[in-house]
Amino acid sequence: MSSMTSTVDIQQAVTTDAFDLGPARALSCRECGHRIPLAAEFACAECFGPLEVSYDFGDITRESIEAGPRSIWRYRGLLPVPSNVREHPNTEPGMTRLVKADRLAAALGLKSLWVKDDTGNPTHSFKDRVVAVALAAARELGFRVLACPSTGNLANAVAAAAARAGWESVVLIPSNLERAKILTTAVYDGALIAVDGNYDDVNRLATELAAEHEDWAFVNVNVRPYYAEGSKTLGYEVAEQLGWRLPEQIVIPVASGSQLTKVDKAFREFGELGLVEATPYKVFGAQATGCSPVSTAFKGGHDVVRPVKPDTIARSLAIGAPADGPYVLDAVRRTGGAVEDVTDAEVVEGIRLLARTEGIFAETAGGVTVATARKLIAAGKIDPDAETVLLITGDGLKTLDAVQDQIGPKATIPPSAAAVREVLGH
Ligand SMILES: *Cc1c(COP(=O)(O)O)cnc(C)c1O
Ligand SMILES: [Zn+2]
């Protein structure tokens, strides 16, 4: 064997067998298709396009999934994580409830409505899903520090997951974040750093730091291709919980747009693998008007998403330059959906409507989803007779400041039955 050949052999061994990331086989560019071996890379060396995980799925059946744990790890055969991914029973995200929302359906004039309530995750938002997958991949890729720039929920999820894994964490947030999201991150005692600037400034800083610190896994920067795949579990769960079928319409909040594109990917994968019948579905995107670059591009008929400076109470969605914006437009247009945006006042109405009808207290992102659904129904874009799912991605306890001026006790009274009767008008 010539030395040339053996170099190639070693290279191959390093690049294809070095990591066990389950069914993941390579990273491929979403723009030009260029493929590279699995690694902590996120941008294509040929065209700077975003990299995405490519798979070679094994034999996956409904039964094999149903036999798995009641967490996102039941879908491990569809995720870029080691086959023996470490589980922490009772603290893993996923298998949150899918609620038949008849009272909200009646209020919205819909025939059949479900709410996917992702407030039930360990740190009360869907971000626990993406972080769990990022951590599992990062561990296999050799990292020992978990980091992120965050609009709040990701900060919670990274700090908590790192604490549970015994890793150090470095979390960067805009300094004007909701107090509750700061405290519920700080309590895990990682390195939480508040930055004077908006999320897009913080994200730029993180990209710079990721280049400097090769042992830091910035979940949504240098290990973003793996992280992003975690959002597929939302789509898988909705389909499984509906009894192994796809909904006809789904409304998804959009920040970077990653979640929306991955739920769409999950539905397509389930169809291609024969786990569900590949019935048509429409994907709808929801934004706050104060940060609506994707909605603006959709309504203007553009392919390019022009960055904006965010100004909205929906801070978890306040990404002015959404990385996956163009792919959101693709998914929405391909499926016949739409993207719409709602004002901050409508967001608060959405939060209150969901709470009043279903007993679910969502954060501002949930208010965006509910209010956008209402607007799309009124505009005739959401079909009231087609089965609809709303993704409620975060918990209202973290964004109390959004509602505190509008809600409170009906009255403050002395401890007497007469005073209660008077308040209730009996
Ligand atoms: C991050 C976030 C989203 C949106 O996620 P993207 O994948 O960036 O679009 C939605 N809802 C909540 C509560 C979030 O924290
Ligand atoms: Zn490329």
Side-chain angles (χ1 to χ4, degrees), residues 132-396:
V133 172
L135 174 63
R139 182 189 278 124
E140 177 67 17
L141 292 169
F143 290 98
R144 289 296 175 269
V145 177
L146 207 60
C148 69
S150 171
T151 58
N153 286 313
L154 186 59
N156 291 164
V158 162
R164 207 153 55 231
W167 283 31
E168 282 174 46
S169 65
V170 179
V171 170
L172 307 170
I173 52 168
S175 55
N176 73 349
L177 219 57
E178 297 95 334
R179 198 175 138 73
K181 283 187 182 155
I182 296 174
L183 298 181
T184 53
T185 303
V187 73
Y188 300 109
D189 220 14
L192 172 63
I193 301 170
V195 179
D196 285 327
N198 62 28
Y199 175 78
D200 298 287
D201 299 321
V202 177
N203 192 37
R204 258 193 308 279
L205 174 60
T207 308
E208 196 182 319
L209 290 171
E212 257 175 45
H213 298 267
E214 288 192 352
D215 54 336
W216 293 7
F218 275 92
V219 295
N220 52 343
V221 181
N222 52 347
V223 292
R224 185 176 181 84
Y226 308 98
Y227 157 95
E229 295 294 294
S231 284
K232 292 194 304 181
T233 60
L234 261 170
Y236 297 150
E237 284 177 26
V238 165
E240 181 179 350
Q241 290 171 321
L242 283 175
W244 297 105
R245 59 188 181 78
L246 302 181
E248 295 174 279
Q249 308 180 120
I250 186 162
V251 188
I252 306 174
V254 173
S256 74
S258 176
Q259 178 185 159
L260 184 145
T261 64
K262 296 302 175 175
V263 169
D264 170 54
K265 187 179 183 188
F267 286 172
R268 278 184 291 144
E269 284 176 351
F270 260 25
E272 284 159 14
L273 290 165
L275 293 167
V276 299
E277 201 185 318
T279 50
Y281 59 87
K282 293 183 180 182
V283 178
F284 296 88
Q287 296 206 293
T289 305
C291 183
S292 51
V294 185
S295 171
T296 302
F298 177 80
K299 290 191 277 190
H302 306 303
D303 293 329
V304 176
V305 175
R306 289 226 341 245
V308 300
K309 224 176 149 74
D311 179 16
T312 169
I313 58 169
R315 295 208 189 96
S316 59
L317 303 181
I319 297 184
D324 288 278
Y327 304 111
V328 168
L329 295 173
D330 289 346
V332 164
R333 287 178 176 142
R334 194 191 71 246
T335 62
V339 190
E340 188 50 271
D341 56 270
V342 289
T343 64
D344 284 359
E346 290 172 306
V347 171
V348 174
E349 280 171 31
I351 291 173
R352 297 184 64 183
L353 177 62
L354 178 63
R356 185 165 72 232
T357 54
E358 296 298 335
I360 295 170
F361 183 22
E363 73 143 81
T364 46
V368 168
T369 301
V370 172
T372 299
R374 179 151 79 175
K375 196 164 170 182
L376 289 167
I377 294 160
K381 297 203 171 129
I382 284 183
D383 175 358
D385 293 325
E387 184 169 61
T388 304
V389 173
L390 305 183
L391 294 191
I392 299 303
T393 47
D395 195 309

Side-chain angles (χ1 to χ4, degrees), residues 59-82:
D59 197 16
I60 292 170
T61 61
R62 292 179 183 179
E63 292 69 29
S64 67
I65 291 171
E66 285 166 349
R70 283 199 61 77
S71 73
I72 60 167
W73 300 132
R74 70 205 279 106
Y75 308 110
R76 72 175 73 184
L78 298 158
L79 296 170
V81 296

Side-chain angles (χ1 to χ4, degrees), residues 28-35 43-51:
S28 63
C29 175
R30 278 161 102 171
E31 289 300 319
C32 76
H34 179 65
R35 274 168 79 97
C44 174
E46 304 286 315
C47 77
F48 300 109
L51 297 173

